[in-house]
Amino acid sequence: METKLRIGTGYDIHPLVRKRKLIIGGVEIPFARGLDGWSDADVLTHAVIDALLGAAALGDIGGHFPPGEAKYKDISSLTLLKEVGEKLAAGGWGIVNIDATVIAEEPKLAGFIEGMRQNLSQTLDIEVERVSVKASTANGLGCIGKGRWMEARTVALIEGKE
Ligand SMILES: [Zn+2]
């Protein structure tokens, strides 16, 4: 049996608005504003989902969970991630590792990173050592620096047997 490896990338962006919870990696973070979107707008989890789908060449998050569908309104993105993990497992894929970066000017995310890693790894049923989450800022530059939105970038490596 030969092991085959596949890599995928994920990118996501959501605007920061008032009257929304700020949820990143399934962690609710106290802040005056939150990310806007059809689901809970969890920018990190969405980028992880797209990296995993990309690695398995299974399309993208919008194709699997179309925004505008009532059943996805305000849904926890961890629920969507769990479904994607199950789709990969059904296809014979295991996750080697995930490395993610959240780019946000405020608030400070350092204290929440471990919770994000725990949420992502538990949802995917993999060891937490396989999930890296990093926080970066835009050093005051551009729209991230002005606090208008947040971004997340992710790579994921998966392995399958053939
Ligand atoms: Zn998103």
Side-chain angles (χ1 to χ4, degrees), residues 83-159:
E83 232 177 270
V84 167
E86 286 165 1
K87 278 177 207 251
L88 259 67
W93 294 107
I95 296 163
V96 178
N97 76 305
I98 291 165
D99 182 26
T101 304
V102 180
I103 308 124
E105 202 68 20
E106 285 185 309
K108 282 252 173 297
L109 299 180
F112 304 100
I113 294 290
E114 282 313 304
M116 297 176 196
R117 294 178 67 214
Q118 291 289 344
N119 284 344
L120 295 170
S121 61
Q122 282 170 17
T123 300
L124 291 167
D125 198 19
I126 58 176
E127 300 95 329
V128 70
E129 291 77 16
R130 292 176 185 265
V131 179
S132 158
V133 176
K134 312 188 296 299
S136 183
T137 74
N139 292 312
L141 295 169
C143 290
I144 295 179
K146 291 183 177 68
R148 287 186 54 202
W149 65 65
M150 291 182 181
E151 293 182 10
R153 294 162 200 266
T154 303
V155 293
L157 188 68
I158 62 174
E159 64 182 344

Side-chain angles (χ1 to χ4, degrees), residues 12-14 41-43 46:
D12 198 30
I13 175 170
H14 282 272
D42 185 335
V43 66
H46 291 182

Side-chain angles (χ1 to χ4, degrees), residues 11-14 36-39 41-47 61 77:
Y11 166 80
D12 198 30
I13 175 170
H14 282 272
D36 198 20
W38 186 256
S39 65
D42 185 335
V43 66
L44 168 61
T45 301
H46 291 182
I61 185 170
S77 296

Side-chain angles (χ1 to χ4, degrees), residues 7-18:
I7 193 167
T9 74
Y11 166 80
D12 198 30
I13 175 170
H14 282 272
L16 267 171
V17 298
R18 300 199 174 275

